[in-house]
Amino acid sequence: MGTSVQVTPLSGVFNENPLSYLVSIDGFNFLIDCGWNDHFDPSLLQPLSKVASTIDAVLLSHPDTLHLGALPYAMKQLGLSAPVFSTEPVYRLGLLTMYDQYLSRRQVSEFDLFTLDDIDSAFQSVTRLTYSQNYHLSGEGIVVAPHVAGHLLGGTVWKITKDGEDVIYAVDYNRRKEKHLNGTVLESFVRPAVLITDAYNALHNQPPRQQREMFQDAISKTLRAGGNVLLPVDSAGRVLELLLILEDYWAEHSLNYPIYFLTYVSSSTIDYVKSFLEWMGDSITKSFETSRDNAFLLKHVTLLINKSELDNAPDGPKLVLASMASLEAGFSHDIFVEWASDVKNLVLFTERGQFGTLARMLQADPPPKAVKVTMSRRVPLVGEELIAYEEEQTRLKKEEALKASLVKEEESKASLGPDNNLSGDPMVIDANNANASADVVEPHGGRYRDILIDGFVPPSTSVAPMFPFYENNSEWDDFGEVINPDDYIIKDEDMDQAAMHIGGDDGKLDEGSASLILDAKPSKVVQVKCLLIFIDYEGRADGRSIKTILSHVAPLKLVLVHGSAEATEHLKQHCLKHVCPHVYTPQIEETIDVTSDLCAYKVQLSEKLMSNVLFKKLGDYEIAWVDAEVGKTENGMLSLLPISTPAPPHKSVLVGDLKMADLKPFLSSKGIQVEFAGGALRCGEYVTIRKVGPAGQKGGGSGTQQIVIEGPLCEDYYKIRAYLYSQFYLL
Amino acid sequence: MASVGQPPSLKRRDAPVSREGDQLIITPLGAGNEVGRSCVYMSYKGKTILFDCGIHPAYSGMAALPYFDEIDPSAIDVLLITHFHLDHAASLPYFLEKTTFKGRVFMTHATKAIYKLLLTDYVKVSKVSVEDMLFDEQDINRSMDKIEVLDFHQTVEVNGIKFWCYTAGHVLGAAMFMVDIAGVRVLYTGDYSREEDRHLRAAELPQFSPDICIIESTYGVQLHQPRNIREKRFTDVIHSTISQGGRVLIPAFALGRAQELLLILDEYWSNHPEFHNIPIYYASPLAKKCMAVYQTYILSMNERIRNQFANSNPFKFKHISPLNSIDDFSDVGPSVVMASPGGLQSGLSRQLFDIWCSDKKNACVIPGYVVEGTLAKTIISEPKEVHYISFSAHADYAQTSTFLKELMPPNIILVHGESHEMGRLKTKLMTELADCNTKIITPKNCQSVEMYFNSEKMAKTIGRLAEKTPEVGETVSGILVKKGFTYQIMAPDDLHIFSQLSTANITQRITVPYSGAFGVIKYRLEQIYESVESSTDEESGVPTLRVHDRVTLKQDSEKHISMHWTSDPISDMVSDSVVALVLNINREVPKVVVESEAIKSEEESGKKAEKVIHALLVSLFGDVKLGGNGKVVINVDGNVAHLDKQSGDVESENEGLKERVKTAFMRIQRAVKPIPLSAP
């Protein structure tokens, strides 16, 4: 009878991998979240690639890599072409996060999974919604609505409604109100048909509020001792909260150590965030309305988009917030390598690192004494190396020219070479050169104005599908072959700039990279002498509040995703006992059917019937007992008419939720002595009231409270009974 | 929770007995056949909403208020403000602080931010005596705490009233509100414009057609010049004046159009480097303060601005600077100054006008609607170097009629327009929408429009009760749960599943002193009750008795018996009688009661019941006579009903009477006949 609902996880179940789930509602396929991790491992997207083309709509919930990182790649390479829905901040901050990821990756490797253009075109198809906006998907009878999730700016709990049945997707929500965000409204949904939620934090309980002091103490201690503080942060998510906390702390204690916020997109991030006040917490909106005080007009924080700006900053203790939080790439990685060996410095983690990343390694207890860091890095060539390289280049060019001419001759003589080889060819050259020069030369890249010396300059004449290395393309996998010519166009530009730069001044290298050039190996062991601290500022509901929220929402069916196997299992057992009897924990690519077994039909309530119904008000609800006869209206609808025969007797129902704690003051207000004794409420001298049976479970069991009132035959007994009755509605 | 099935159709009921709840009333308390003090009252199904809360700029003091006396402010559930203009929002502090209003107020973020600045400025500037002051700055600050904000498209529900808003164009943050009460939708446009300009979006076309559309009619049947022509005229005037070494004065209200004009000027200057040494000023402290709001709520503006924002904030002007007062102004050579007020009544715009008007090189551009009786209105008619270019962001006739044609509301209520403009608009719309059976109404202030909506209540039967869809004639019994305007019918056992309500069982256990033999109780009970089963308690082995499967008696000790049962009215009654009986045995043992007399013959009790029924009917209807075939004839004010006492059927010409008699008879019978003890 009910709406058919199927859930198929594509990634992120029984572990902390990126989130991506396929939810199919009456055959309409939603992809909810499209995440990737900081390693950008294409094998994670295997399940998505199989279903990408069947997806009808994509819903994004948070603006970070774990929730939307794979969107550009999926759109470009996996055939995902559905409309995307998100809130404005998720759209905008997600876009900036992806830019930052891309630029950070470009810095260390020949990153070619997607380009800036791919990011742009993927985000172009995003329809932006506001919170609580009911968006009707045309023709499907499905309504989607984003609701406040907390955690990140624009973070969304999705509600998908069809025929009055709600499917709710809520991951990474936060119950607490924070400096810049309101808490989630998840609790306002009651008894949805299906709730899909995460178990990520099921085993973590947040330390109490004093963590804020710990955070501030740790920072100020290090700075006073002349050390530097590094906060590895995300590009545009939790960092916003941290910035506000630091701003406040600096203002409160009038500190004047510099704070730097360093990502490739920091200035545009803050510019946009300044115009997102509508999406923030009440206190921020209020302060703007009354005094036009925009909380994100940062007074103590300097925004940097380039590491050299940081290096040029005056010496002395400073605090730097830099992306990525995983320390795998980005500025945080570089700064960590520089600072880790100094005991005065502090690296302060505010979120658990993604699994298998440097950050996670460092968060181990006890922290490692030394870590091996991948140092692949595109650096400029200097001195002899450069000359050698240039010679090599000219030699190569000559060879190429020669070969090209040979090819042309061949071409004129013979037919075209086999098609299937064509697209792979340019890559082969790359590979050769990369191998050849890996031990001597590391290409250097970065932002556009940085220099880039690639192993290979494709002569513009031979962008040529006809390049003649036919033999050795077998090592290249699918991902190598699908590269499109655009990539090469960008490289051309880079090359031009690089060439210009080489002609100019090479000596202007910053210290950091100079030291790295000496160490040309792809990895290096970094002595971790600096202080490492982890203080939870993730802004996610912790285990305790997850459980409270779940038992309050009390869905008819519950699907658990995203969380370590232990956490998932733990939460499952908890929910089976306290929340609802239908808890599902699907594996990757396992489709589970959570169609509700709910029966329902619609009837019209006739005016005659309703005029005889006396409602009783109970909180938000009004209730009444009806006995009615079924009839039909002119247009064939079932309708309920007043019953013509005397109503059949029915078992009377007591409606109401009795709380012993509320009953006590009520009775004492009526002049009865009450006290709790042995789990029962003693009223007066003899009468006791008790609750028996399983308490607290809402979903399962009979759902009926069992209350026992005992006492000897006396006047008090009847009086107390009357008071007890007054707590209920009798139908 | 969609249970509102079909959209109710508007239909005047034939029967005059229609229930009050289905009547929808709309009353303009202001802006009915006038421009200014917008305020429209609406009530339906016991829910009341007020749209806008403005003042009339032409009056002062209490006279400027809408007719609040007509309504009970304490009964209003929701107050919705469309935008920050004085004629839409300025009586809000008064209404919130000086009346009994205790509902909730909503407006958009941008509106709220500007509302405070604008009204604070208004209080400072308006030169009225203290008695005439409707509110002071304190009232405005206090009102800020009560105002809640909502974003465009965000659906909010208050007491079962659902509402959300669409972009309205007009000014920053302007909204059109759609209200949904029990499936009846009403759209209130406020001031709107369907033309996209430099920073604002055009008013959206709502996804759903409303049942009633309350729409502004400021410009009646007039048509606007296309935007590019207006802008061209504007820049041409400035260009030629500046080239000739003249000065340009633009008297304009500080907020709204002023920002649009500044955007035009800033862009024009960017494209004309030769003007870069010519300064542009906007001389309004209020506009300066509000610039932060414009710089922040970029998301409420159109794509164009949002795209520009990706590079730099378009409201951080490159060629325009603020001017605090005329003292800071060094009047050397050509310049462009935008100054308030727009009507040249007083203030900076007037000061500059007085200085500059004598030189014919100078020009004055009046960019919008000007009020009768101001200097600006006077000089418009003298075609010297004064240019009137309307940048007003109200819909013109073309926009209004296309909007309505696409929306197709069955009922249109015109407000916010001068009486004759409104009349012409009505006539023209009538002819244009002739084939759609649309009603167009132009109520005056305090004139109520009443409509009836045939509201069909739909319920969803769910859970165990709905396992099988019933056939016609079967009965459905269950709990009807109403939340907001949605109804659900469910079995009691399902109550906790589909709602937050829960059910309870109360078990009662009572000890009664009794020292006699247990067998005596059994004997006595058997005399009264049909079903008394005896058994022994499994745990303690004491004898027990179960009366009617409801109440269990147990001999606890020599001196006490205990009774336990589950609470419900019948069981409670049975238990009471058992208690009474036990106590009586205690007192009266041994005593022999003559039984036979107690039981009356069935016939006798039947007769008695007959009498009672008759007496009760007489007390209810007065004229009640016994007719033939065991029928009763009831005569009320000439309406006659025949009641068959056997079957309970009633025949009557009058439907109302028939129903009443039927219900009354059913209830009487239920009261008189013995209670069936067996629960299903």
Side-chain angles (χ1 to χ4, degrees):
Chain A
M1 280 292 286
T3 310
S4 120
V5 183
Q6 275 107 30
V7 180
T8 317
L10 303 175
S11 166
V13 282
F14 287 107
N15 55 34
E16 294 172 4
N17 278 345
L19 299 92
S20 183
Y21 310 98
L22 179 69
V23 176
S24 165
I25 293 179
D26 274 351
F28 190 88
N29 294 330
F30 285 101
L31 174 66
I32 310 188
D33 281 339
C34 189
W36 217 347
N37 60 11
D38 279 8
H39 291 299
F40 292 102
D41 176 6
S43 69
L44 282 173
L45 305 181
Q46 208 54 40
L48 174 60
S49 67
K50 290 185 206 156
V51 296
S53 56
T54 65
I55 282 160
D56 299 305
V58 183
L59 307 179
L60 301 177
S61 61
H62 288 282
D64 61 6
T65 318
L66 278 178
H67 293 88
L68 52 70
L71 192 66
Y73 184 78
M75 290 269 187
K76 181 87 189 292
Q77 312 285 13
L78 305 181
L80 179 69
S81 61
V84 184
F85 298 90
S86 81
T87 59
E88 178 77 36
V90 167
Y91 160 78
R92 183 56 69 182
L93 301 178
L95 188 64
L96 291 170
T97 302
M98 291 314 292
Y99 283 169
D100 195 31
Q101 280 282 11
Y102 175 81
L103 294 169
S104 304
R105 283 279 144 188
R106 275 302 281 190
Q107 178 83 356
V108 295
S109 67
E110 201 56 41
F111 186 74
D112 55 9
L113 293 171
F114 52 84
T115 63
L116 289 176
D117 288 342
D118 296 338
I119 301 174
D120 280 338
S121 67
F123 278 85
Q124 226 153 41
S125 54
V126 176
T127 306
R128 281 102 92 184
L129 308 178
T130 51
Y131 282 141
S132 318
Q133 173 178 359
N134 293 322
Y135 186 89
H136 295 250
L137 293 173
S138 48
E140 300 291 337
I142 298 176
V143 180
V144 294
H147 292 275
V148 183
H151 181 54
L152 299 182
L153 185 57
T156 304
V157 167
W158 283 101
K159 181 162 113 174
I160 308 169
T161 309
K162 178 157 189 188
D163 294 336
E165 272 181 46
D166 296 338
V167 176
I168 289 173
Y169 173 83
V171 294
D172 294 332
Y173 48 85
N174 190 11
R175 204 174 167 209
R176 268 189 202 166
K177 200 171 163 152
E178 295 185 281
K179 271 197 179 314
H180 81 300
L181 291 177
N182 280 336
T184 182
V185 296
L186 180 59
E187 277 169 292
S188 65
F189 305 120
V190 276
R191 310 227 60 104
V194 180
L195 172 68
I196 305 168
T197 190
D198 61 340
Y200 185 77
N201 253 354
L203 291 172
H204 290 264
N205 279 329
Q206 233 167 41
R209 288 267 175 179
Q210 69 232 34
Q211 63 159 351
R212 174 156 297 173
E213 280 150 38
M214 278 166 53
F215 178 75
Q216 293 164 346
D217 286 352
I219 290 175
S220 58
K221 221 190 247 164
T222 308
L223 292 174
R224 291 217 168 89
N228 294 324
V229 183
L230 170 67
L231 271 77
V233 291
D234 49 9
S235 320
R238 295 298 306 162
V239 65
L240 302 176
E241 179 75 11
L242 295 172
L243 285 173
L244 289 189
I245 292 171
L246 292 172
E247 274 276 317
D248 276 9
Y249 184 64
W250 253 242
E252 207 177 299
H253 295 83
S254 29
L255 299 175
N256 43 19
Y257 302 106
I259 306 178
Y260 298 104
F261 176 33
L262 173 64
T263 73
Y264 285 103
V265 291
S266 62
S267 53
S268 18
T269 304
I270 298 301
D271 272 351
Y272 276 109
V273 166
K274 271 189 264 184
S275 74
F276 285 148
L277 293 195
E278 295 102 307
W279 298 85
M280 296 186 198
D282 296 337
S283 55
I284 294 220
T285 15
K286 205 150 263 171
S287 92
F288 183 77
E289 278 156 5
T290 45
S291 59
R292 279 161 292 119
D293 220 358
N294 195 323
F296 280 94
L297 282 170
L298 304 170
K299 294 175 195 76
H300 304 276
V301 179
T302 315
L303 306 177
L304 305 179
I305 54 166
N306 194 316
K307 181 141 179 298
S308 61
E309 291 178 275
L310 179 67
D311 296 323
N312 295 335
D315 284 339
K318 48 183 162 283
L319 187 149
V320 178
L321 301 107
S323 63
M324 306 284 153
S326 62
L327 290 179
E328 280 297 302
F331 295 123
S332 64
H333 176 90
D334 304 349
I335 298 174
F336 172 74
V337 171
E338 279 174 45
W339 290 2
S341 51
D342 191 336
V343 280
K344 279 190 296 189
N345 292 342
L346 164 68
V347 177
L348 181 51
F349 296 99
T350 52
E351 58 185 284
R352 260 176 293 160
Q354 283 175 33
F355 194 77
T357 60
L358 179 55
R360 186 68 160 241
M361 259 191 276
L362 293 168
Q363 286 165 23
D365 192 29
K369 290 258 157 36
V371 283
K372 203 168 160 189
V373 189
T374 323
M375 293 305 299
S376 58
R377 197 183 156 91
R378 310 203 304 182
V379 295
L381 295 166
V382 281
E384 287 176 12
E385 283 175 346
L386 181 65
I387 297 160
Y389 174 77
E390 276 171 345
E391 278 171 4
E392 175 78 4
Q393 284 290 301
T394 36
R395 195 181 58 77
L396 273 173
K397 263 183 197 162
K398 276 181 197 158
E399 272 177 25
E400 277 155 18
L402 193 68
K403 275 171 187 161
S405 61
L406 282 173
V407 170
K408 266 182 192 162
E409 279 172 35
E410 268 174 46
E411 220 173 41
S412 56
K413 286 178 204 158
S415 63
L416 287 171
D419 272 359
N420 55 347
N421 285 327
L422 298 186
S423 56
D425 290 333
M427 294 307 300
V428 175
I429 299 305
D430 250 358
N432 272 352
N433 263 290
N435 292 339
S437 56
D439 46 347
V440 200
V441 181
E442 297 280 353
H444 179 285
R447 309 208 73 219
Y448 286 119
R449 58 208 188 85
D450 284 333
I451 38 174
L452 176 116
I453 299 165
D454 197 47
F456 168 55
V457 186
S460 50
T461 48
S462 69
V463 179
M466 293 309 298
F467 205 74
F469 276 54
Y470 295 137
E471 309 86 350
N472 49 358
N473 59 348
S474 51
E475 286 171 33
W476 285 88
D477 63 358
D478 299 345
F479 297 99
E481 293 193 351
V482 272
I483 292 302
N484 77 347
D486 289 0
D487 296 357
Y488 304 99
I489 291 163
I490 288 170
K491 267 188 206 164
D492 276 348
E493 286 170 9
D494 285 355
M495 289 317 295
D496 292 342
Q497 286 172 336
M500 270 165 52
H501 207 286
I502 290 164
D505 43 2
D506 265 17
K508 230 181 75 179
L509 283 169
D510 56 64
E511 234 179 282
S513 23
S515 70
L516 286 164
I517 290 164
L518 296 176
D519 187 289
K521 279 176 203 157
S523 72
K524 139 175 184 181
V525 174
V526 174
Q527 299 294 321
V528 184
K529 292 187 186 143
C530 66
L531 190 57
L532 297 171
I533 298 185
F534 171 65
I535 295 172
D536 182 358
Y537 263 104
E538 278 174 2
R540 284 188 179 95
D542 66 353
R544 203 176 303 125
S545 62
I546 284 178
K547 288 168 193 163
T548 325
I549 289 187
L550 288 184
S551 65
H552 187 88
V553 174
L556 299 182
K557 299 200 170 177
L558 177 66
V559 182
L560 294 178
V561 295
H562 201 240
S564 63
E566 305 88 68
T568 312
E569 192 53 35
H570 169 83
L571 192 60
K572 180 180 182 177
Q573 293 312 326
H574 173 88
C575 292
L576 279 174
K577 224 182 273 167
H578 300 284
V579 178
C580 75
H582 306 286
V583 182
Y584 302 83
T585 49
Q587 297 287 349
I588 284 193
E589 293 194 274
E590 179 195 350
T591 302
I592 49 154
D593 193 355
V594 281
T595 304
S596 73
D597 33 24
L598 182 74
C599 309
Y601 60 85
K602 279 187 172 180
V603 286
Q604 188 215 44
L605 299 167
S606 68
E607 202 60 40
K608 281 180 198 162
L609 178 75
M610 292 310 284
S611 59
N612 282 331
V613 170
L614 271 181
F615 279 107
K616 288 176 178 168
K617 215 168 154 50
L618 221 131
D620 285 346
Y621 294 95
E622 288 176 65
I623 51 171
W625 184 273
V626 282
D627 291 301
E629 201 170 281
V630 178
K632 270 219 161 76
T633 57
E634 301 124 34
N635 44 19
M637 283 286 294
L638 287 179
S639 90
L640 294 184
L641 302 164
I643 202 156
S644 49
T645 51
H650 65 85
K651 199 164 172 273
S652 61
V653 190
L654 287 169
V655 182
D657 193 3
L658 183 79
K659 299 229 165 37
M660 291 308 238
D662 297 340
L663 185 65
K664 189 183 166 200
F666 173 74
L667 286 177
S668 59
S669 75
K670 298 287 176 193
I672 296 167
Q673 283 204 331
V674 264
E675 56 178 2
F676 280 110
L681 195 62
R682 262 185 72 163
C683 317
E685 269 181 78
Y686 311 108
V687 183
T688 58
I689 298 176
R690 275 186 293 134
K691 249 180 164 176
V692 292
Q697 184 171 4
K698 277 198 163 160
S702 66
T704 305
Q705 290 187 327
Q706 301 291 342
I707 293 156
V708 178
I709 172 167
E710 281 182 295
L713 182 68
C714 60
E715 226 170 273
D716 265 4
Y717 178 85
Y718 288 97
K719 209 160 78 186
I720 291 164
R721 190 180 77 174
Y723 290 138
L724 182 64
Y725 279 0
S726 71
Q727 301 293 299
F728 293 96
Y729 282 97
L730 182 72
L731 289 178
Chain B
M1 298 255 175
S3 86
V4 184
Q6 296 158 327
S9 59
L10 180 79
K11 186 174 106 190
R12 214 175 216 293
R13 291 242 175 147
D14 301 317
V17 285
S18 115
R19 307 216 300 146
E20 205 178 292
D22 295 341
Q23 187 188 40
L24 191 149
I25 299 173
I26 289 177
T27 318
L29 304 177
N33 278 282
E34 65 174 354
V35 177
R37 58 172 155 187
S38 281
C39 188
V40 177
Y41 168 91
M42 163 185 158
S43 113
Y44 181 57
K45 290 206 179 263
K47 312 283 176 195
T48 46
I49 293 174
L50 205 60
F51 296 106
D52 277 341
C53 210
I55 53 156
H56 201 301
Y59 307 122
S60 66
M62 293 297 233
L65 291 176
Y67 294 90
F68 290 138
D69 305 347
E70 290 292 308
I71 52 157
D72 174 11
S74 65
I76 289 168
D77 296 291
V78 182
L79 171 51
L80 304 173
I81 305 290
T82 56
H83 63 280
F84 58 74
H85 276 155
L86 292 176
D87 61 336
H88 290 262
S91 61
L92 189 58
Y94 174 86
F95 196 68
L96 291 184
E97 301 302 321
K98 313 264 163 106
T99 69
T100 54
F101 174 74
K102 54 184 193 307
R104 294 170 66 182
V105 197
F106 290 88
M107 55 175 76
T108 61
H109 288 87
T111 304
K112 190 178 176 189
I114 297 180
Y115 157 86
K116 183 185 179 238
L117 295 169
L118 184 59
L119 286 200
T120 314
D121 187 68
Y122 168 75
V123 168
K124 279 186 197 144
V125 170
S126 62
K127 296 188 186 77
V128 289
S129 58
V130 181
E131 309 87 77
D132 268 0
M133 286 289 279
L134 293 167
F135 50 84
D136 55 22
E137 241 184 289
Q138 298 293 303
D139 294 321
I140 298 170
N141 291 337
R142 276 197 295 271
S143 76
M144 286 296 280
D145 296 334
K146 296 184 188 166
I147 297 169
E148 294 170 69
V149 283
L150 84 172
D151 209 344
F152 293 102
H153 301 122
Q154 180 186 347
T155 310
V156 181
E157 190 169 341
V158 177
N159 295 343
I161 307 168
K162 267 188 232 148
F163 56 90
W164 59 94
C165 63
Y166 298 99
T167 318
H170 192 59
V171 289
L172 179 65
M176 308 191 283
F177 280 98
M178 181 78 96
V179 174
D180 180 325
I181 303 178
V184 176
R185 293 205 178 99
V186 178
L187 178 72
Y188 178 78
T189 64
D191 292 354
Y192 77 107
S193 165
R194 290 275 285 155
E195 190 182 51
E196 179 163 333
D197 62 17
R198 240 150 236 276
H199 69 296
L200 295 172
R201 264 178 282 195
E204 284 169 275
L205 189 73
Q207 222 174 344
F208 318 95
S209 178
D211 298 288
I212 303 168
C213 180
I214 307 171
I215 193 167
E216 67 139 325
S217 48
T218 323
Y219 275 81
V221 294
Q222 298 175 38
L223 293 174
H224 292 328
Q225 263 181 343
R227 198 190 86 188
N228 50 353
I229 296 184
R230 286 193 319 244
E231 285 186 12
K232 181 94 181 19
R233 278 179 60 203
F234 179 66
T235 49
D236 282 353
V237 168
I238 289 169
H239 193 116
S240 63
T241 313
I242 295 291
S243 312
Q244 290 164 24
R247 299 162 177 86
V248 184
L249 173 67
I250 309 168
F253 179 64
L255 288 170
R257 292 299 84 203
Q259 278 67 29
E260 172 76 5
L261 297 174
L262 290 176
L263 283 176
I264 297 175
L265 287 173
D266 200 47
E267 192 181 300
Y268 195 75
W269 251 238
S270 301
N271 296 335
H272 292 80
E274 68 270 25
F275 285 167
H276 281 189
N277 52 346
I278 313 276
I280 309 175
Y281 298 106
Y282 63 97
S284 158
L286 179 60
K288 194 180 158 194
K289 280 185 202 155
C290 289
M291 214 44 88
V293 181
Y294 274 83
Q295 282 161 8
T296 301
Y297 290 113
I298 298 286
L299 291 185
S300 307
M301 299 180 201
N302 60 20
E303 281 303 315
R304 193 177 160 277
I305 287 279
R306 291 210 247 174
N307 293 337
Q308 283 181 15
F309 182 66
N311 302 321
S312 70
N313 199 319
F315 282 98
K316 293 198 169 128
F317 298 118
K318 289 172 201 71
H319 309 282
I320 302 174
S321 38
L323 187 66
N324 284 334
S325 76
I326 197 154
D327 307 327
D328 304 339
F329 179 53
S330 57
D331 190 10
V332 283
S335 61
V336 180
V337 180
M338 180 180 290
S340 56
L344 295 173
Q345 301 97 317
S346 58
L348 201 87
S349 61
R350 178 60 171 271
Q351 287 172 307
L352 286 172
F353 185 78
D354 290 345
I355 302 170
W356 291 351
C357 65
S358 51
D359 189 342
K360 72 182 257 217
K361 274 195 294 184
N362 299 341
C364 176
V365 182
I366 294 171
Y369 192 82
V370 280
V371 187
E372 264 332 309
T374 57
L375 177 62
K377 187 82 183 175
T378 325
I379 59 171
I380 283 179
S381 39
E382 292 169 31
K384 297 269 171 167
E385 288 307 312
V386 176
H387 306 266
Y388 174 64
I389 305 166
S390 172
F391 280 94
S392 196
H394 287 274
D396 64 354
Y397 178 71
Q399 293 176 25
T400 305
S401 71
T402 16
F403 184 68
L404 289 173
K405 266 189 220 156
E406 283 176 57
L407 207 56
M408 276 300 167
N411 302 282
I412 298 169
I413 295 176
L414 299 180
V415 293
H416 200 277
E418 295 300 343
S419 179
H420 55 279
E421 283 288 355
M422 210 184 245
R424 277 149 72 188
L425 178 63
K426 181 182 174 178
T427 328
K428 203 159 175 189
L429 282 174
M430 283 295 236
T431 46
E432 201 148 327
L433 302 170
D435 20 326
C436 340
N437 199 17
T438 312
K439 272 193 204 155
I440 303 176
I441 308 153
T442 56
K444 293 195 173 62
N445 281 341
C446 304
Q447 196 177 20
S448 292
V449 179
E450 288 169 22
M451 289 179 212
Y452 294 88
F453 285 87
N454 180 10
S455 69
E456 220 168 45
K457 292 191 187 75
M458 296 301 298
K460 203 168 153 187
T461 313
I462 46 174
R464 272 167 249 199
L465 209 55
E467 272 160 14
K468 189 172 88 52
T469 311
E471 296 298 319
V472 172
E474 287 184 56
T475 55
V476 172
S477 302
I479 298 179
L480 180 62
V481 179
K482 178 185 176 199
K483 191 183 182 198
F485 289 103
T486 58
Y487 296 87
Q488 290 181 314
I489 301 174
M490 57 189 84
D493 293 343
D494 285 341
L495 190 65
H496 70 282
I497 300 181
F498 301 111
S499 73
Q500 280 169 293
L501 301 170
S502 50
T503 51
N505 275 332
I506 298 180
T507 308
Q508 304 193 34
R509 202 166 290 155
I510 192 167
T511 42
V512 184
Y514 176 72
S515 47
F518 201 60
V520 178
I521 300 179
K522 186 187 173 194
Y523 171 72
R524 289 295 193 90
L525 286 173
E526 274 170 348
Q527 284 179 329
I528 294 181
Y529 292 100
E530 282 168 20
S531 152
V532 179
E533 287 165 38
S534 57
S535 62
T536 48
D537 190 75
E538 279 172 23
E539 280 173 35
S540 52
V542 294
T544 61
L545 288 172
R546 195 156 170 79
V547 181
H548 271 287
D549 237 10
R550 287 169 181 276
V551 181
T552 310
L553 279 82
K554 201 160 80 176
Q555 188 172 24
D556 264 1
S557 66
E558 289 294 305
K559 297 214 169 125
H560 290 96
I561 58 156
S562 76
M563 297 168 50
H564 67 96
W565 71 96
T566 306
S567 289
D568 80 67
I570 298 170
S571 302
D572 283 359
M573 198 174 69
V574 172
S575 78
D576 286 352
S577 81
V578 174
V579 168
L581 184 136
V582 172
L583 292 179
N584 275 335
I585 300 174
N586 263 348
R587 261 181 241 138
E588 302 165 18
V589 161
K591 192 184 169 189
V592 180
V593 183
V594 184
E595 285 300 323
S596 55
E597 280 178 11
I599 304 159
K600 288 174 183 161
S601 70
E602 204 160 292
E603 208 178 314
E604 229 173 301
S605 65
K607 264 186 195 164
K608 196 167 181 188
E610 202 79 345
K611 267 189 200 163
V612 175
I613 291 172
H614 191 81
L616 284 169
L617 283 174
V618 169
S619 72
L620 272 172
F621 298 103
D623 188 1
V624 178
K625 292 193 188 84
L626 276 175
N629 321 341
K631 283 200 178 175
V632 179
V633 183
I634 297 165
N635 192 330
V636 179
D637 297 340
N639 294 317
V640 183
H642 297 271
L643 167 71
D644 187 330
K645 274 200 284 192
Q646 249 31 79
S647 63
D649 288 343
V650 183
E651 286 166 32
S652 171
E653 301 282 298
N654 186 310
E655 275 295 310
L657 182 64
K658 183 177 156 181
E659 274 309 306
R660 280 197 59 188
V661 172
K662 205 172 172 179
T663 323
F665 183 69
M666 219 161 69
R667 290 198 179 139
I668 291 168
Q669 264 198 324
R670 252 187 250 159
V672 172
K673 284 198 174 166
I675 303 159
L677 272 174
S678 54

